[in-house]
Amino acid sequence: MTTMAEPADSTTATAVNSVSTTETAVTTVTVPGAAAGSVWRNPRLQILNLGAFAALTGVAVADVVYPLLVLGFTGKPILAGLFGAIQFTAMVLCSIPAGAFIDRHDRRRVLVTSEIVRALLATALAVSLAAGHVWLIEVYLVAMALGACQPFSSVRILALRGVVPAEQVTPALAAQQIFNGVAALLGPALGAMMFTLSRSLPFTVIAAGMGVSATCAYLVRFDSRPVADVPGSGSGDSDGPLAGLRIIWRSAVMRSTMLFITMINLIGVPLDLVIILEARHQGVPTRYLGAILACFAAGGILGAPLVPRVHALLRPGNVLAAFGAGAAAVIALLAAPFGGFWMAGCMLSIGLLLPAVEILVNVLILQQVPDHQRGRVMSATMTFMGLGTPLGAAFGGTVLQVLSPATVLIGAAALLGCVTLIAVSQPDLRAAQWPAGSSSDAAGS
């Protein structure tokens, strides 16, 4: 939950530590022809959102069918899990160099090219499956290529800023969250259903989704070249592939935010497995487990339209505190033996809270760095956020060997509560304001 401007007045001047003495200014990009009203009446934004929906639906389908494909070939869960491990490793290894590449090349072309590559990879597998000739090494090579493409495809979040004015970034991100949530809700079910009909069918759909994404990115015209560096800031620590990591680490607000999100991922990644085991322990029928987990995505869809209002009412630190405290309470309530409908309601509640935090990361980080560094900062953000994923999966599997699911849920809630207290105890984070010019800047608490 997947973003430094010069403050407009003295009340925001101390909100975010400056990254360096040469990086306090941010170039403001004018968006010609952007809709002055609702983001839903911005046709270029909606074309980008359509492409994002098609791509993310393909990704959600792929997350299900690639492991199923390996499992069908080998019958070994460990080899099916290896697909995700290879994909994640390739993504992390490519994130930093990808960020530097994005900051030096036309971002629209980068997005179109990466989506075409992902479409070709799925097409190759669909053809191979239809012909009956697929090797396991081929599937693993695809996993590596997909992971390598992911940081380049994530440039879509920077493309959004080329089609909306600065004051509409938060509502535009909220609208995009709705598309993302629908894709996350539909993709797994579609993938499983299509895989039972034909092994090659879901890969054809994945290829089509990436093709639609590439076409939408090609059709939307905007100035996608990174804005030139400000004089005197293009050398030394402000340049180079590792600049994004240094920028985040040197800002107390960014550092606290990213460490908080990393810990959220560490705690949250294994919860799906924990919830499944707890539901089975409570006697919930297996056929309802998918619906319980799907309520999380449904909550995200319902919570996304509320983000601008939440950001207007609460400062960034308060948003993190509300999410951490609320999520901790709901995770603890999941351990209560009240059955499937209770667990579904809890998952819906957590989903409602998540979009405000995901968009907070985007607005508070990417919107506050100069345009010529946003690719590297975005990649560094992906690296930070991804660190908790493998650690959380391994940690969750280990503790479930010795503790009951209910005990793990209560422990996760307590740990999340402690992490939240540590995060909001940071003075810089408590004092942080929304970036000047964003729609969230209208009010703070």
Side-chain angles (χ1 to χ4, degrees):
M1 27 179 265
T2 97
T3 91
M4 237 167 256
E6 187 173 1
D9 55 56
S10 59
T11 62
T12 59
T14 58
V16 179
N17 291 357
S18 62
V19 175
S20 71
T21 56
T22 59
E23 295 171 8
T24 55
V26 168
T27 306
T28 300
V29 181
T30 301
V31 183
S38 168
V39 294
W40 296 102
R41 294 196 295 269
N42 184 330
R44 294 192 298 166
L45 174 62
Q46 298 316 317
I47 293 174
L48 275 182
N49 283 338
L50 173 62
F53 173 75
L56 290 170
T57 301
V59 170
V61 170
D63 287 343
V64 172
V65 299
Y66 277 111
L68 285 176
L69 181 63
V70 177
L71 193 61
F73 283 154
T74 66
K76 297 179 179 179
I78 189 171
L79 294 180
L82 185 59
F83 181 94
I86 292 172
Q87 186 176 1
F88 172 79
T89 302
M91 184 196 76
V92 171
L93 292 177
C94 291
S95 287
I96 299 303
F101 185 89
I102 289 168
D103 280 339
R104 289 173 171 82
H105 295 84
D106 187 288
R107 291 165 178 170
R108 180 166 157 268
R109 291 182 180 177
V110 170
L111 178 57
V112 171
T113 302
S114 65
E115 299 299 70
I116 289 175
V117 171
R118 294 206 293 183
L120 291 175
L121 290 169
T123 300
L125 268 183
V127 171
S128 297
L129 284 166
H133 301 291
V134 176
W135 293 271
L136 187 59
I137 186 64
E138 178 185 356
V139 179
Y140 285 152
L141 287 174
V142 169
M144 187 181 302
L146 286 174
C149 286
Q150 183 59 41
F152 296 98
S153 296
S154 297
V155 76
R156 189 190 319 274
I157 203 68
L158 302 183
L160 178 145
R161 286 169 168 76
V163 298
V164 297
E167 64 273 12
Q168 289 189 348
V169 167
T170 298
L173 288 169
Q176 194 175 80
Q177 284 289 315
I178 297 175
F179 287 92
N180 296 356
V182 174
L185 192 63
L186 297 179
L190 288 174
M193 179 185 68
M194 290 186 293
F195 192 80
T196 60
L197 298 174
S198 167
R199 285 188 173 183
S200 62
L201 178 60
F203 296 98
T204 304
V205 172
I206 294 169
M210 300 306 172
V212 170
S213 177
T215 302
C216 290
Y218 177 79
L219 291 175
V220 177
R221 302 286 177 172
F222 60 96
D223 186 1
S224 54
R225 296 165 297 176
V227 177
D229 196 353
V230 293
S233 66
S235 61
D237 285 350
S238 67
D239 203 2
L242 298 179
L245 291 171
R246 285 192 289 263
I247 288 171
I248 291 176
W249 195 254
R250 289 176 179 176
S251 166
V253 173
M254 291 185 184
R255 183 174 65 248
S256 298
T257 301
M258 290 314 308
L259 290 177
F260 178 80
I261 299 301
T262 299
M263 291 302 299
I264 290 292
N265 283 345
L266 190 150
I267 296 168
V269 163
L271 285 185
D272 279 358
L273 177 59
V274 179
I275 291 166
I276 289 172
L277 293 176
E278 175 61 19
R280 293 178 64 180
H281 177 73
Q282 294 186 21
V284 177
T286 303
R287 63 181 179 275
Y288 295 144
L289 295 180
I292 290 173
L293 296 178
C295 284
F296 179 76
I301 297 171
L302 296 174
L306 304 177
V307 170
R309 184 177 297 274
V310 172
H311 284 195
L313 292 173
L314 300 176
R315 292 178 179 176
N318 293 338
V319 171
L320 291 180
F323 171 78
V330 174
I331 290 171
L333 291 173
L334 278 165
F338 296 150
F341 285 106
W342 173 264
M343 300 185 79
C346 289
M347 294 297 289
L348 186 74
S349 300
I350 299 175
L352 281 170
L353 301 171
L354 189 60
V357 175
E358 291 184 331
I359 295 175
L360 174 148
V361 173
N362 194 295
V363 172
L364 200 60
I365 295 179
L366 281 187
Q367 194 163 319
Q368 296 201 69
V369 298
D371 186 65
H372 69 278
Q373 293 178 332
R374 282 180 177 162
R376 283 164 287 181
V377 172
M378 179 189 69
S379 297
T381 301
M382 290 178 61
T383 301
F384 271 109
M385 294 174 69
L387 287 176
T389 303
L391 296 175
F395 179 73
T398 301
V399 296
L400 283 170
Q401 295 293 323
V402 295
L403 300 174
S404 69
T407 303
V408 173
L409 286 170
I410 294 172
L415 180 59
L416 179 54
C418 293
V419 169
T420 303
L421 286 175
I422 294 172
V424 300
S425 68
Q426 307 302 310
D428 296 279
L429 188 57
R430 288 201 311 273
Q433 302 277 5
W434 297 108
S438 72
S439 61
S440 304
D441 188 50
S445 87

